Amino acid sequence: MDGGKRFAVLLCAEDSDYVKKRYGGYFGVFVDMLAEEGETWDFFKVANGEFPDDDQIGGFDGFVITGSCNDAHGNDAWICKLISLLKKLDSLNKKVLGICFGHQILCRALGGKTGRAISGWDIGLTTIHVSPSSSKLFSSLEIPATLSIIECHRDEVREPPPKAEVIAWSEKTGVEMFRYGDHMMGIQGHPEYTKDILIHLIDRLLQRNFIVDSYADELKATLGKVEPDKDAWKRLCTSFLKGRL
């Protein structure tokens, strides 16, 4: 294990009891998707104020920012500290992969704008379209021009960061993915999610009155019809994070 690459997951949400019991928390979900033999994976509960020290940062080869119940356009103390950390990681040219809230907060840290999605909640399986230029970038990975991904968000990237390249979009969301240089990438959807995690989240949103019964029933009814392209997403995310693109 010595000498292998080191990665850190920046956890931006509390684990639910279900995800803790089934997957060992969201850290376990990400490690299951991204970790390879010989690597070391750590996590920091940034939503609880746990951040890597300045002298720790250099020891990591890459970072993953998770989803969150918080708004990326909010100004909670930990969110502002996370933005400062991301700016530092950019200056150090560290690999950073942002997922959902992570995608949005990465956009904000790099000078873009986020906010409530104009089209409202986007929950379920969404087809995203990869830009032709990015299809060439991903050609060695055999990534198709359209990909199915699980989504669960009501915020979005309104304006990508200056110098960022929008590399995928969907009917509801104009910026599904962006790249910033060759070291930072944001994905609005959840490549790490399974259908049972999404069903669990739909139930939690219903309990908290974020969505209504009829919408929850409609979402669950459509879930059995399409599968997310998990293998393609795994290839894309691991290849980006580990500098193989």
Side-chain angles (χ1 to χ4, degrees):
M1 292 289 284
D2 289 344
K5 288 193 171 185
R6 293 187 66 211
F7 298 93
V9 178
L10 305 178
L11 292 165
C12 301
E14 287 291 328
D15 291 323
S16 68
D17 290 338
Y18 174 81
V19 174
K20 274 194 282 194
K21 185 176 179 181
R22 180 79 188 269
Y23 297 97
Y26 282 112
F27 174 68
V29 175
F30 276 102
V31 167
D32 185 56
M33 178 177 74
L34 297 171
E36 295 174 324
E37 190 174 353
E39 296 172 352
T40 302
W41 283 76
D42 296 308
F43 65 88
F44 296 90
K45 295 182 178 180
V46 294
N48 290 348
E50 297 176 12
F51 283 81
D53 297 330
D54 286 351
D55 57 354
Q56 289 180 293
I57 291 170
F60 290 104
D61 296 281
F63 296 80
V64 180
I65 324 163
T66 73
S68 178
C69 297
N70 290 74
D71 299 325
H73 51 273
N75 290 310
D76 307 60
W78 72 268
I79 289 178
C80 295
K81 190 171 181 179
L82 178 57
I83 288 170
S84 296
L85 172 60
L86 295 176
K87 289 179 178 178
K88 187 173 294 182
L89 296 180
D90 176 36
S91 70
L92 295 171
N93 219 41
K94 291 289 184 182
K95 288 278 186 181
V96 179
L97 175 64
I99 304 297
C100 197
F101 167 89
H103 159 84
Q104 297 159 12
I105 202 71
L106 186 58
C107 163
R108 181 180 171 188
L110 296 171
K113 293 181 181 178
T114 67
R116 283 280 186 263
I118 295 165
S119 56
W121 280 100
D122 187 2
I123 306 172
L125 283 158
T126 296
T127 298
I128 73 163
H129 304 269
V130 180
S131 70
S133 60
S134 298
S135 293
K136 293 174 185 175
L137 174 73
F138 301 143
S139 61
S140 63
L141 306 177
E142 299 181 353
I143 302 296
T146 59
L147 285 166
S148 177
I149 193 169
I150 291 174
E151 308 246 11
C152 187
H153 64 100
R154 64 171 175 174
D155 294 341
E156 66 181 359
V157 168
R158 293 269 184 87
E159 292 179 21
K163 301 180 183 177
E165 177 191 3
V166 176
I167 57 177
W169 68 93
S170 67
E171 288 185 14
K172 288 191 79 170
T173 305
V175 185
E176 286 282 359
M177 292 177 67
F178 73 85
R179 285 177 74 228
Y180 187 85
D182 62 359
H183 62 298
M184 293 185 154
M185 184 165 76
I187 301 173
Q188 179 58 73
H190 285 277
E192 81 283 10
Y193 273 9
T194 56
K195 283 186 179 181
D196 68 289
I197 289 177
L198 180 59
I199 289 170
H200 167 68
L201 283 174
I202 289 169
D203 288 338
R204 288 183 75 193
L205 290 171
L206 185 59
Q207 289 165 7
R208 296 179 183 186
N209 297 315
F210 282 120
I211 59 175
V212 296
D213 288 284
S214 57
Y215 185 39
D217 292 341
E218 179 188 329
L219 290 169
K220 290 179 182 179
T222 60
L223 275 179
K225 299 174 183 176
V226 188
E227 290 291 335
D229 293 309
K230 286 189 72 70
D231 288 343
W233 284 110
K234 180 173 182 173
R235 291 197 303 276
L236 195 159
C237 291
T238 54
S239 296
F240 164 77
L241 196 60
K242 297 163 193 190
R244 299 197 291 252
L245 282 180

